[in-house]
Amino acid sequence: MGRSPCCEKAHTNKGAWTKEEDDRLISYIKAHGEGCWRSLPKSAGLLRCGKSCRLRWINYLRPDLKRGNFTEEEDELIIKLHSLLGNKWSLIAGRLPGRTDNEIKNYWNTHIRRKLLNRGIDPTTHRPLNEPPQEQPPPPPPPLSATTNTISFSTIKEEKQEMSITNTCKTMFICKEERNPVEERCPDLNLELRISPPCQQIRGVCFVCRLGLQNSKDCSCNNIIMGSGIGTSTANSNSGCDFLGIKSGVLDYRSLEMK
DNA sequence: AAAGACGACAACCGCGATACA
DNA sequence: TTGTATCGCGGTTGTCGTCTT
């Protein structure tokens, strides 16, 4: 039953990779291809965990990697993608050829985060720091045709991820605008997903409270009552209110479009 | 010049999803 | 159907180089 253990940790090297280890890994993968990470170390004569080999290959040894500084265009793309996807580094990396999730994650934490803070933007929410509470609900989003951004999800893996987002949405009462069911089967579809807090933030009670989590940090109706929240919550608006601590603006997937 | 602080990034760890026996 | 291994991901840590005092 099951499989044998991933690796014998007692007999594996840890820490920085040597040139010799790199060469062994590269030549083995060139000869046999990627995959079978579990058996790769033994076959390649490496005293490494398969997991470690995979990481080393994906992040540093792959021939298609683009090394060097990020361009301004890449910076802006990362920021935009992060505002849409959050810390989904692998998805973001999928949109930046030659860049890895680990590289982007490190770059985000060391450069972009600071860059956004200098701009007065919260790197987590992508909203202005110290944003004053809004008296009025945010204006309704402009017509879709005017706002749709195009993000191409080109790999099967990413499509799978998209599906998981959709499935998650369903379990979280997230509304999906099924404007054209045919598009769902098309790889070039515009998902037109809209993630909203449960439409029923009824009578000023947020979804978190409805789950019995009153006074939770995720409670947004406190914000309404106290008038001191991030300020976008309204009892009768679907747009712009917090949902489990995540801005619906951030979760507005209507702008994701499959290519 | 030395020591501590800080930044950058490579690598590890833990977890969830999935595959497999 | 169930238990376990594998894979892949995101968060965190460790280490090394550079800067500042």
Side-chain angles (χ1 to χ4, degrees), chain A residues 28-51:
Chain A
Y28 182 86
I29 291 178
K30 275 182 180 172
H32 302 92
E34 288 184 51
C36 297
W37 297 110
R38 180 208 178 308
S39 60
L40 186 150
K42 191 175 179 181
S43 305
L46 288 163
L47 293 174
R48 290 277 180 175
C49 172
K51 216 172 177 177

Side-chain angles (χ1 to χ4, degrees), chain A residues 149-166:
Chain A
N149 298 322
T150 299
I151 298 176
S152 171
F153 291 83
S154 56
T155 69
I156 292 171
K157 184 173 73 176
E158 286 162 351
E159 286 172 17
K160 188 175 156 192
Q161 180 80 24
E162 275 304 289
M163 288 304 297
S164 82
I165 290 171
T166 305

Side-chain angles (χ1 to χ4, degrees), chain A residues 164-175 207 211 243:
Chain A
S164 82
I165 290 171
T166 305
N167 291 336
T168 303
C169 296
K170 285 176 181 167
T171 60
M172 294 170 74
F173 305 95
I174 289 163
C175 310
F207 181 57
L211 289 174
F243 177 51

Side-chain angles (χ1 to χ4, degrees), chain A residues 82-83 86-87 108 113 116 121-127 245 250:
Chain A
H82 186 273
S83 73
N87 294 357
W108 175 271
R113 176 178 285 273
L116 289 179
I121 295 171
D122 186 322
T124 305
T125 63
H126 294 267
R127 288 168 180 260
V250 173

Side-chain angles (χ1 to χ4, degrees), chain A residues 19-244:
Chain A
K19 181 78 171 63
E20 186 184 341
E21 286 176 312
D22 282 349
D23 290 343
R24 275 180 186 269
L25 182 57
I26 291 168
S27 60
Y28 182 86
I29 291 178
K30 275 182 180 172
H32 302 92
E34 288 184 51
C36 297
W37 297 110
R38 180 208 178 308
S39 60
L40 186 150
K42 191 175 179 181
S43 305
L46 288 163
L47 293 174
R48 290 277 180 175
C49 172
K51 216 172 177 177
S52 180
C53 294
R54 176 186 159 271
L55 195 72
R56 183 67 182 172
W57 172 255
I58 288 175
N59 285 334
Y60 305 101
L61 300 178
R62 257 167 42 195
D64 58 327
L65 289 182
K66 185 201 293 183
R67 309 302 296 182
N69 295 337
F70 282 76
T71 65
E72 194 62 32
E73 288 74 27
E74 285 177 313
D75 276 19
E76 294 306 318
L77 182 55
I78 290 169
I79 292 168
K80 281 183 184 172
L81 289 168
H82 186 273
S83 73
L84 288 164
L85 302 168
N87 294 357
K88 298 294 177 189
W89 305 116
S90 61
L91 279 178
I92 294 172
R95 302 305 316 138
L96 287 126
R99 302 295 188 183
T100 70
D101 53 356
N102 201 42
E103 187 179 17
I104 293 170
K105 178 173 59 178
N106 284 331
Y107 187 67
W108 175 271
N109 288 326
T110 55
H111 293 88
I112 299 182
R113 176 178 285 273
R114 198 178 313 135
K115 185 175 177 175
L116 289 179
L117 287 171
N118 287 339
R119 287 183 190 175
I121 295 171
D122 186 322
T124 305
T125 63
H126 294 267
R127 288 168 180 260
L129 291 167
N130 305 319
E131 184 183 47
Q134 295 178 359
E135 298 297 330
Q136 301 295 326
L144 285 174
S145 58
T147 59
T148 298
N149 298 322
T150 299
I151 298 176
S152 171
F153 291 83
S154 56
T155 69
I156 292 171
K157 184 173 73 176
E158 286 162 351
E159 286 172 17
K160 188 175 156 192
Q161 180 80 24
E162 275 304 289
M163 288 304 297
S164 82
I165 290 171
T166 305
N167 291 336
T168 303
C169 296
K170 285 176 181 167
T171 60
M172 294 170 74
F173 305 95
I174 289 163
C175 310
K176 178 182 178 184
E177 296 177 8
E178 296 189 8
R179 305 174 127 218
N180 183 359
V182 174
E183 287 179 344
E184 290 206 69
R185 278 175 264 121
C186 173
D188 276 23
L189 81 175
N190 180 342
L191 284 176
E192 295 290 3
L193 296 180
R194 171 145 178 95
I195 297 178
S196 305
C199 311
Q200 53 280 71
Q201 194 180 28
I202 300 170
R203 293 184 293 276
V205 179
C206 74
F207 181 57
V208 175
C209 290
R210 286 163 63 79
L211 289 174
L213 301 172
Q214 288 89 344
N215 301 322
S216 157
K217 64 181 175 57
D218 294 318
C219 169
S220 61
C221 58
N222 279 348
N223 297 336
I224 303 165
I225 297 166
M226 305 302 292
S228 60
I230 312 269
T232 52
S233 299
T234 59
N236 57 0
S237 169
N238 286 347
S239 58
C241 53
D242 290 346
F243 177 51
L244 298 177

